[in-house]
Structure formats: structure tokens, C-alpha cells
Amino acid sequence: MSRPIILCLLLCFLLLPYQLSFAEHNSETENQFFDYHWGRGLTIPSANLNIGGYLQASYRQPEKRPDAVMLNDLSLFITWSPHDRLRFFAELDQQNWFTSYGNRTFDEALSVERLFVDYLFSGTTTLRFGKFLTPFGRWNVIHSAPLVWTTNRPIVTNDFSFAPRANGLLFSHTHLVNEHNLDLSVYLDDSTDLDPKPNNRIVFDKAAGARINYELTEELQVGFSYLAYQTLADLDLPTHHVVGLDAMWQNQGYEVLFESLYHTRNDAETNLDEKGLFIQGVAPIAGQVFAVGRYEYVNSKVFQNLTNNSVSHIGVGGLAWRPFVPLVVKTEYRFGENNRAIAPSGLFISIAMFY
Amino acid sequence: MRSTILTHFLCLLLLLFFSNNIRADEIFVVIGKTSSVEKLTLKQLENIYRRKTLIGEDGERWNPINLSANNPLRIAFAQKIFQQPPEVMEAYWNAQYFQGIMPPYVVNSVEAMLRFVEDTPGTIGYLLPCQVDDRVRVILKLPVSESLENLCKKEANLH
């Protein structure tokens, strides 16, 4: 498909907001065969099927590097519940399909981001089998461009110390403690046998992990994650261990998000001792415009070869405009110290939306 | 004779007591008459309306329904269970959409809510005391701070 046709299709998607009641699925449409709402996808009620997705396009102007315009993501979600206790979910993503420095073929750009089936034992207990986002920290499981406040991910969430996707079994349970949700997730990974086309920098061979999240109040949640894994690249070496602590506070449009992690391996030879954290604040300015600021600290010997120093400090300041619920336009400036190789300073602008 | 008068007086007192208790500053959470669910806590209700709890104890799919976002009853209900108005919840529903979870269906009228709850197993809705009839069963009463009496009066005027 030629680039002008693709751009026309994208433009059509962007001009779709003819139906501003996007968020509401109206039961009066139950008798219709299908029902489309902007930002909530196409629903076929009789089949319990929903098809949707999101896209992101960006302009990047990193210092001392060429500028770039790119279609970062064109993602498709398929959700199907054939039975009260069964739920299938798939996310296919065309990543960096079109860029100003060259295009990738459909097959090259295609990645299976998620593909799983959930069996609901009860209202509070679920068993998932398939490929899913590794439940470590907060950003990784909600990383899609329309949901997050910045064009660039924090380094510590981006294939830094663990694979962002796992393949295997995930057991989830929610327990009420003092009328607040305590969410527990335990997972086992066997990516080598289950994922024929891994799309991570780090690829698990085998992994096991757990996560606990507790709602301290309606506004404040805290989480703890632990993960042990081996990768195909270093099967003979001892197991990696990663621990993480995170918290999120949200109130009346204000938000503070904090994540930290520590990554080690229990051998003296490699002396792997990696740590990082970020804290991000969001504040409404006027209407649907929000100010966003983030500080990130990264200390990694893996990056030492690139940066001549294991410690990097990265700052991000920007604005996000959400004129409609499914749509966000972001602009940000990234800066820092010892950051050029891993997160270059510069201007980044993007538009993202659910369709 | 005296006992008859006393009985009538007691009945009158009871009537007055219950009529005072049928206040519009309560929201009644309702389910279908055939549902096996006996009781719900406020947090369980919140989890059902957040679509965090997708099925009930009997394995039947929960089907929460809402009135339209600008309906004062919907606003009072959202404020009670989420401590937020419906429009603020849209960011939450964006995040759920990414997980393949859709928000509750919306009905346009109280009558549609009554019919939906009556006809569709697993459906749960909410009404004012003056709107409840024998097609549905009240499973939880939510006291709300704002007065919703005008909604009942409007409804009465319409009829």
C-alpha cells in the first residue's frame, strides 16, 4: 500500500470524532448488529466481540541526530468472550511501519504484542495463559501512547532490566482488605518454547515473578514487584533478580507516579548491579491541557560502555492536551546529564488516539 | 373497639414511619428477581461497576448498566461509589479499554433500566426509591448526601 493511501487512512481516523458520545455504549443499540464508538472500538454485542486499537505518530528532533517523523504504532485489539468464564484478547501492532528514514514491510513491522486467554475462576480470581505484558511496575502494563503523558518512556520501564512481555501462565487474585483492593499476581514464563517471534531486547528463557498492589486510599496505590529470570543469551550464568517498588497518587486531575527497581545477579564475576527510578508529576493548567514533569535516575553498568559513566540523570518537561477522551497531543523537551546515548536531549511531539 | 382503634393507630404510625424512610436521598441498587445474589457491599458494587469483577459467585456474567452521563441520578451514583463524577472516570475506561474491558452499557431511561434488569440475567442497575417496582429486587441501599427528590417529582409530573 502506498504511503499517500496510508496517510489518507490515518487522516480519516483522526477526523472521526463525529460521534462525541464515544465513551458510552448505549444499550438501545443492542439490537443492532454492530456498534462503533470512537475510542471504544467496534462492538458486535451478539458475539461479545470488540475490535479496536490505537495509533501514535510522532516528530522527533533529538540533538546531534537526524530529525524523524514516524508512525510509531498502529495497533489492533480483538476481545472476545464466548462464555461467561472465558475471555480471549489479542493485540497486533505495526511498529515504526513508516518513518522518514525508511519504511518497513508489513511483516517486518508486525508484532504480536499480546495474545492470551483468561479463565475466570470467580469474580476475583483469574488464570491467564498466553503472551501478556510483564506485570512489573505500573508503566509497563499501561504503556500505550494514548494512556501515558509523554512521548518517550522512562528508560527504566523500557526493556531495561526485564522483558516487557512474558509468555506462560499468570494467576491473578483480588482480595478485599479493609474494603480496599489488594491485587496479587503470580506468573511463570517459558518464552523460549511459547514465543516464536520475540520482540524484546531482553528475552526471557524462563522466568517467575509476583506483584502485589494495594489501594491505601481511593487516591493512593502502592505496589511491589519481584522477578527472577534467565535469558537465552546467558543460560550458563546465575539467575537475574529484579525487585521494584512503585506508587501512584491521583486526585482531581493531579497525578504523581513513582517507580523504582533494582536488578542484580547472584554472582561476583559479572557484578551486575543496576538500579533506576523515576518520579513524574502531572497538573491540569487550563481546560484539557496538562503540564508534565519527570525526573529519572539510571545507574547501569550495561550503559557504561555507551555513556562512559554508569549514572545518568534525565529530565522531561512538557505539555499534554486531551481535547477528547481518546485523543492526546503531547509535546516535550528532554534533557539531562550523561544521557546522550540512552535518552538524547531534544524536542518530541506526538499525537496518539484510541479508535 | 379499643383494640381496633389501637390497631389502626399502629398501622398509621407504621405507614408514616415507612413513608418517611422511602426517601429520595437514597439510591436503590437493583437486580433481577431470579438472581441468586443475596447481598453486596459497597466495595463489591464498585468493583462490579469498574468491571474489575466480571462474574458473580454463581459464575454468571455481571452486566452493570448506567443511565446517561448527564443524568443527576448517574452523577450521584458515580459520586457515591467512585467518589468522582462520570466524566472523570473516562481516563479509567481508557486504561480498561487497553486491557480489553469495556465500560457498562448505558440506557436512556429509568423504564429501560427496569426492563433491562428484569429481562437480562446478571444485570445490575440503580434507581430512586420512587422508581422501584415489583419487576426488580433491591439488593443495596446507598444513602447519598444530595437531594434527588426533584427527580421523583419530575417523574410524578410526567405520569
Side-chain angles (χ1 to χ4, degrees):
Chain A
M1 208 182 289
S2 68
R3 195 186 301 191
I5 295 173
I6 296 289
L7 290 175
C8 282
L9 285 173
L10 286 178
L11 196 63
C12 289
F13 273 125
L14 292 175
L15 293 174
L16 266 176
Y18 56 87
Q19 196 172 7
L20 296 181
S21 60
F22 42 79
E24 306 277 50
H25 269 245
N26 198 313
S27 73
E28 312 301 326
T29 58
E30 276 277 288
N31 296 328
Q32 294 178 8
F33 180 68
F34 66 86
D35 175 25
Y36 177 76
H37 289 265
W38 182 34
R40 297 289 179 257
L42 180 81
T43 304
I44 302 177
S46 57
N48 282 319
L49 179 70
N50 179 271
I51 299 169
Y54 74 95
L55 60 87
Q56 177 186 221
S58 65
Y59 168 70
R60 292 160 187 268
Q61 197 182 54
E63 287 174 6
K64 297 177 182 169
R65 288 188 191 184
D67 297 1
V69 180
M70 56 178 73
L71 175 63
N72 305 84
D73 294 288
L74 181 56
S75 178
L76 176 75
F77 309 152
I78 301 167
T79 310
W80 180 44
S81 300
H83 183 270
D84 288 355
R85 291 185 186 271
L86 275 182
R87 201 171 71 92
F88 291 91
F89 181 83
E91 182 191 358
L92 306 173
D93 191 15
Q94 286 288 326
Q95 289 183 334
N96 301 330
W97 194 6
F98 302 109
T99 68
S100 55
Y101 51 81
N103 300 333
R104 302 166 81 191
T105 64
F106 184 88
D107 286 348
E108 282 170 350
L110 181 67
S111 72
V112 178
E113 291 286 289
R114 291 178 285 171
L115 181 64
F116 57 75
V117 56
D118 280 344
Y119 180 78
L120 283 66
F121 281 106
S122 70
T124 55
T125 306
T126 303
L127 185 67
R128 175 170 296 179
F129 174 71
K131 183 174 188 176
F132 48 86
L133 295 168
T134 309
F136 192 102
R138 286 176 193 279
W139 193 291
N140 193 51
V141 288
I142 57 130
H143 68 263
S144 78
L147 292 180
V148 296
W149 292 100
T150 56
T151 302
N152 293 296
R153 277 176 86 141
I155 296 297
V156 293
T157 71
N158 195 13
D159 241 350
F160 173 66
S161 292
F162 62 92
R165 291 161 205 87
N167 296 270
L169 284 170
L170 167 66
F171 171 84
S172 309
H173 178 71
T174 299
H175 194 70
L176 286 180
V177 179
N178 297 326
E179 287 296 287
H180 290 284
N181 289 324
L182 175 75
D183 299 317
L184 171 70
S185 306
V186 178
Y187 52 100
L188 292 170
D189 169 278
D190 184 8
S191 286
T192 302
D193 295 321
L194 294 172
D195 192 2
K197 192 185 172 189
N199 47 342
N200 307 323
R201 184 180 69 86
I202 299 171
V203 179
F204 293 143
D205 172 48
K206 300 273 189 294
R211 172 167 171 77
I212 292 175
N213 183 69
Y214 183 58
E215 290 175 352
L216 279 173
T217 66
E218 290 295 328
E219 293 85 21
L220 179 64
Q221 299 190 26
V222 292
F224 173 78
S225 309
Y226 169 73
L227 171 63
Y229 70 88
Q230 284 194 306
T231 70
L232 276 179
D234 57 12
L235 277 177
D236 300 333
L237 295 173
T239 306
H240 295 252
H241 299 277
V242 194
V243 290
L245 193 64
D246 56 81
M248 184 167 72
W249 174 85
Q250 289 175 305
N251 193 13
Q252 297 184 358
Y254 292 88
E255 181 180 305
V256 178
L257 174 62
F258 168 80
E259 278 195 40
S260 64
L261 64 77
Y262 176 69
H263 175 198
T264 188
R265 198 158 53 186
N266 43 0
D267 63 328
E269 288 172 19
T270 51
N271 193 23
L272 179 67
D273 189 18
E274 210 167 50
K275 45 186 125 31
L277 64 83
F278 75 88
I279 184 161
Q280 175 181 281
V282 177
I285 299 177
Q288 294 303 311
V289 180
F290 298 81
V292 185
R294 184 169 71 223
Y295 165 74
E296 186 174 9
Y297 164 85
V298 179
N299 186 340
S300 168
K301 290 192 171 61
V302 175
F303 293 146
Q304 193 164 5
N305 299 332
L306 301 169
T307 60
N308 298 323
N309 187 331
S310 63
V311 176
S312 300
H313 301 274
I314 303 157
V316 174
L319 294 172
W321 177 43
R322 292 185 179 273
F324 304 106
V325 172
L327 179 70
V328 59
V329 181
K330 302 173 227 177
T331 178
E332 71 207 42
Y333 188 76
R334 185 165 66 185
F335 52 95
E337 186 186 306
N338 201 31
N339 63 316
R340 190 192 299 174
I342 57 169
S345 300
L347 178 70
F348 303 86
I349 300 170
S350 66
I351 181 166
M353 65 166 228
F354 286 119
Y355 57 82
Chain B
M1 178 70 183
R2 184 179 288 178
S3 67
T4 314
I5 290 170
L6 195 63
T7 311
H8 284 164
F9 181 69
L10 278 174
C11 284
L12 191 66
L13 272 181
L14 278 172
L15 203 64
L16 280 171
F17 175 77
F18 282 111
S19 65
N20 272 344
N21 271 356
I22 303 172
R23 298 173 311 184
D25 53 353
E26 265 186 334
I27 296 173
F28 285 5
V29 179
V30 294
I31 54 172
K33 288 206 133 179
T34 56
S35 171
S36 61
V37 179
E38 292 297 324
K39 61 175 183 176
L40 281 178
T41 66
L42 185 61
K43 190 66 188 180
Q44 285 170 328
L45 179 69
E46 181 191 338
N47 282 345
I48 291 167
Y49 265 86
R50 280 184 184 270
R51 307 291 323 275
K52 194 172 167 65
T53 301
L54 294 174
I55 60 170
E57 282 175 11
D58 54 359
E60 190 169 73
R61 195 191 312 249
W62 276 117
N63 185 24
I65 53 172
N66 264 325
L67 291 166
S68 54
N70 57 0
N71 187 301
L73 178 53
R74 159 88 177 268
I75 294 167
F77 180 75
Q79 203 69 50
K80 179 69 186 178
I81 65 168
F82 305 129
Q83 286 82 49
Q84 303 187 84
E87 64 272 15
V88 177
M89 289 296 293
E90 294 307 333
Y92 173 82
W93 291 116
N94 270 351
Q96 294 308 300
Y97 178 56
F98 183 60
Q99 309 297 341
I101 305 283
M102 305 302 291
Y105 278 101
V106 173
V107 292
N108 288 333
S109 66
V110 166
E111 180 57 28
M113 183 167 273
L114 280 162
R115 277 194 215 152
F116 217 91
V117 172
E118 182 191 19
D119 295 341
T120 314
T123 300
I124 184 165
Y126 49 86
L127 296 163
L128 290 173
C130 61
Q131 296 163 336
V132 172
D133 64 22
D134 59 4
R135 287 177 285 179
V136 295
R137 182 157 62 90
V138 176
I139 195 168
L140 186 63
K141 295 178 181 179
L142 304 173
V144 288
S145 51
E146 56 266 71
S147 172
L148 298 166
E149 275 176 30
N150 284 341
L151 287 178
C152 281
K153 284 175 188 163
K154 274 184 194 167
E155 196 122 319
N157 289 339
L158 280 175
H159 292 295

